[in-house]
Amino acid sequence: MNEFDYSIFWEETIKQLREEKEISDQEYNMYFQSLHYIESTRDKIKLSIPSRFIQSQLKQRYTSIIESRLFEISGIELTLDFEIENRTKDQDKKTESVIQREPETPQVYEPHPQLREDYTFENFVIGNNNSFAANASKAIAQNPGSKYNPCLIYGGVGLGKTHLMQSIGNTIHQEKPEMKIVYIPAETFINDFIESINTKKQTNFKNKYRTADILLIDDIHDLQDKKGTQEELFHTFNALYDANKQMVFTCDRPPSELKNFADRLKNRFVRGLNVDLHPPNYETRYAILRKKLEDRNVSISDDILELISQNINTNIRDLEAALTSIVAYAELVQKEITPEIAKQQLKQFFSSPIQTNITIDKIQKQVSEYFNVTLSDLKGKKRTKQITFPRQIAMYIIREITDFSTTEIGLEFGGRDHTTVMHSCQRIEDRIKTDSTIEPTVQELIRSIKET
Ligand code: ADP
Ligand code: MG
């Protein structure tokens, strides 16, 4: 027998990683079941492996975590060494042919386990609202870790942050399969971190993130109030940043508006490139609907697409939900959908979401506080600039997030006529188009109204 026999370390490592779900059952069946321990030397563990394909998968995905775990368990720096199985002729012909085909399959694109396959640049419609963010994301995918590091993509819900972030991941995964890409929603990052403390597995946690070539963390606003996790991310950030590893983050607001968030971490997020996403205009909404329809084997007339694009201007998630609903209906009734049927069918999507707990009064109070004007001035007759702007904003927000009619709103502003309310809302809409500071103000106010 060889002087070195590290088989027990190997077995224990795989056992632990399976228990901790670092290696899922599916991954185990795919890659590990067919591995066999052969022998050890002073600093190597030699394994037999059925194909070069499996070898390349293992090397890309698992060797670093296996080797670091081996070190934790054994205290010896062991590396893995693979030997492709030498099949002899007397083996079953069937296995033979399977084995032979495998080395030729590396071209077949293996999906990344954490990324949605349909979140690609190809499926992402570029419009007025997202072209800068989309082009920056493409540049990052082509040259990760170079110019735009880190990159922060921010914007409201359903505007395509996750889609863009995962498109970066998918492109890199396809073009540079050797890179280790870690995609994670911030919420999972928090849970992983807490669990690593509870189970005293901080080293695993660190290894998982600090060995990434590409780190994609989605929805970092979820880290608000989470001091410990922020601290951990701060160190992860520094380690990856120093090693020129690409990081991309998404957030539902500009970082300056994050609450209970360590300044030093905030500063790091904004260090590289910041891009924001806006709600799409009519043309883009229409183009997105067309694109979403491409893969579905059902015909929805242009009239209907126009109808949906005209009526839903919040975000792309709502747009898709309406389309899905109408497609499902068309499939069910098996007949051409007329605009009348569509209107009926989409009623719930077209009316603005009812926020029962949000009153006009509440919005007025928040807005007057924000602009530091009195409530009675806000509702009153004064027409100085300091008052009219907050008043218009308040009306606009009420229209956006509640179901009150313009008549009802007018009544709450000193008995104004509904046309005045409409005019005020229009004023804000126009100004949003020309002044990029207004939309963020509105969004910030809406968030704080919803939070209280
Ligand atoms: P967010 O992460 O900003 O909340 P998502 O990335 O989840 O938004 O996008 C919501 C939905 O809208 C997804 O199904 C996504 O594919 C789709 N979507 C968003 N932007 C576009 C776009 N420009 N083209 C095509 N689909 C889009
Ligand atoms: Mg998202």
Side-chain angles (χ1 to χ4, degrees):
M1 208 187 86
N2 195 313
E3 176 187 355
F4 305 100
D5 183 0
Y6 297 138
S7 57
I8 47 165
F9 298 142
W10 163 252
E11 278 157 22
E12 180 62 18
T13 296
I14 298 302
K15 185 169 149 253
Q16 287 188 9
L17 294 176
R18 285 192 74 187
E19 279 168 5
E20 292 157 21
K21 300 280 177 223
E22 291 283 346
I23 300 173
S24 71
D25 291 344
Q26 196 195 354
E27 290 171 307
Y28 180 80
N29 293 338
M30 250 159 97
Y31 304 117
F32 290 88
Q33 216 166 24
S34 53
L35 286 188
H36 300 289
Y37 171 89
I38 306 176
E39 59 177 3
S40 319
T41 61
R42 181 181 300 277
D43 55 1
K44 279 196 174 61
I45 290 183
K46 199 170 194 176
L47 302 162
S48 83
I49 194 162
S51 68
R52 273 195 318 197
F53 171 63
I54 301 231
Q55 178 179 3
S56 85
Q57 293 299 314
L58 282 167
K59 280 200 169 153
Q60 281 161 37
R61 300 172 180 218
Y62 307 101
T63 36
S64 72
I65 101 165
I66 291 174
E67 287 173 358
S68 70
R69 181 58 59 91
L70 275 168
F71 180 68
E72 271 175 48
I73 294 173
S74 67
I76 308 165
E77 285 200 21
L78 293 166
T79 53
L80 299 182
D81 196 15
F82 300 106
E83 186 179 293
I84 312 261
E85 267 168 43
N86 194 4
R87 299 269 165 158
T88 48
K89 290 247 163 60
D90 56 16
Q91 269 176 316
D92 188 343
K93 279 248 160 62
K94 259 199 218 148
T95 21
E96 184 87 332
S97 65
V98 171
I99 301 290
Q100 282 186 347
R101 220 172 283 135
E102 270 170 341
E104 291 160 17
T105 49
Q107 281 95 330
V108 174
Y109 172 55
E110 275 282 310
H112 187 284
Q114 291 136 6
L115 300 173
R116 268 184 62 158
E117 276 180 85
D118 58 337
Y119 280 177
T120 59
F121 289 123
E122 228 166 59
N123 292 339
F124 193 84
V125 175
I126 297 188
N128 65 321
N129 59 317
N130 60 26
S131 60
F132 184 53
N135 290 330
S137 302
K138 283 183 184 169
I140 289 168
Q142 291 315 319
N143 280 307
S146 53
K147 260 195 284 183
Y148 306 125
N149 196 25
C151 172
L152 176 75
I153 304 171
Y154 67 90
V157 67
L159 295 181
K161 301 183 293 295
T162 301
H163 189 137
L164 267 186
M165 172 181 250
Q166 293 208 9
S167 301
I168 298 176
N170 274 321
T171 305
I172 299 175
H173 182 58
Q174 196 161 13
E175 290 176 4
K176 304 185 176 69
E178 70 286 357
M179 288 199 146
K180 180 177 167 192
I181 301 167
V182 175
Y183 165 85
I184 188 161
E187 213 181 338
T188 316
F189 186 82
I190 298 166
N191 295 339
D192 270 17
F193 176 63
I194 294 170
E195 193 177 316
S196 79
I197 293 175
N198 292 342
T199 55
K200 304 211 165 28
K201 301 260 167 66
Q202 277 115 309
T203 327
N204 299 343
F205 179 86
K206 290 196 167 87
N207 282 339
K208 180 162 160 198
Y209 296 102
R210 295 191 194 174
T211 55
D213 295 309
I214 313 285
L215 179 64
L216 310 171
I217 304 190
D218 209 352
D219 294 332
I220 54 163
H221 48 268
D222 287 336
L223 291 169
Q224 287 180 120
D225 300 319
K226 305 281 188 288
K227 279 237 152 54
T229 319
Q230 287 174 20
E231 169 92 20
E232 179 58 36
L233 180 57
F234 176 74
H235 295 297
T236 305
F237 184 105
N238 291 343
L240 292 178
Y241 188 78
D242 290 342
N244 288 323
K245 304 295 188 186
Q246 180 71 48
M247 288 173 278
V248 183
F249 304 100
T250 69
C251 188
D252 70 353
R253 63 197 74 183
S256 55
E257 283 177 33
L258 289 169
K259 296 195 185 98
N260 296 326
F261 216 97
D263 281 335
R264 57 182 193 167
L265 185 55
K266 255 196 251 183
N267 294 340
R268 284 191 168 49
F269 288 145
V270 298
R271 199 182 255 185
L273 180 71
N274 295 269
V275 293
D276 55 350
L277 292 168
H278 297 274
N281 64 10
Y282 172 79
E283 286 75 21
T284 311
R285 297 201 290 272
Y286 184 80
I288 290 173
L289 287 176
R290 286 230 74 102
K291 180 90 197 161
K292 297 278 170 191
L293 216 50
E294 264 174 25
D295 310 329
R296 309 197 196 197
N297 195 16
V298 57
S299 80
I300 299 285
S301 70
D302 288 351
D303 295 0
I304 308 286
L305 296 187
E306 279 169 20
L307 181 81
I308 300 176
S309 320
Q310 270 158 8
N311 284 281
I312 297 181
N313 58 9
T314 44
N315 64 57
I316 298 135
R317 189 168 298 159
D318 293 347
L319 207 59
E320 262 193 302
L323 183 69
T324 304
S325 148
I326 210 74
V327 166
Y329 186 77
E331 279 170 350
L332 207 68
V333 298
Q334 293 278 322
K335 66 174 184 192
E336 181 76 20
I337 303 286
T338 63
E340 283 64 42
I341 298 177
K343 264 183 210 151
Q344 186 58 32
Q345 214 41 42
L346 294 172
K347 238 178 17 207
Q348 46 157 340
F349 293 99
F350 289 175
S351 61
S352 50
I354 302 168
Q355 300 267 352
T356 43
N357 57 342
I358 296 182
T359 59
I360 293 184
D361 183 55
K362 190 163 156 185
I363 297 173
Q364 288 172 328
K365 279 187 181 136
Q366 288 276 340
V367 173
S368 61
E369 214 169 86
Y370 185 87
F371 288 102
N372 201 15
V373 298
T374 65
L375 197 55
S376 58
D377 276 349
L378 191 82
K379 299 198 225 176
K381 301 277 175 228
K382 276 192 200 160
R383 299 188 57 174
T384 59
K385 218 167 130 201
Q386 288 98 307
I387 307 286
T388 49
F389 179 62
R391 188 181 293 140
Q392 288 168 350
I393 289 273
M395 291 179 182
Y396 177 81
I397 290 176
I398 297 168
R399 277 298 272 164
E400 284 284 299
I401 67 172
T402 74
D403 235 16
F404 294 105
S405 67
T406 44
T407 315
E408 287 167 311
I409 300 171
L411 284 176
E412 299 293 329
F413 283 85
R416 284 180 164 79
D417 189 73
H418 79 277
T419 51
T420 312
V421 178
M422 277 163 61
H423 175 75
S424 299
C425 294
Q426 190 57 49
R427 282 281 299 157
I428 297 298
E429 248 170 63
D430 294 342
R431 289 191 61 174
I432 284 176
K433 285 185 199 136
T434 54
D435 181 346
S436 64
T437 64
I438 296 186
E439 163 102 17
T441 304
V442 169
Q443 292 307 329
E444 186 185 349
L445 271 163
I446 291 178
R447 262 196 305 279
S448 70
I449 290 162
K450 286 184 178 170
E451 271 166 17
T452 49

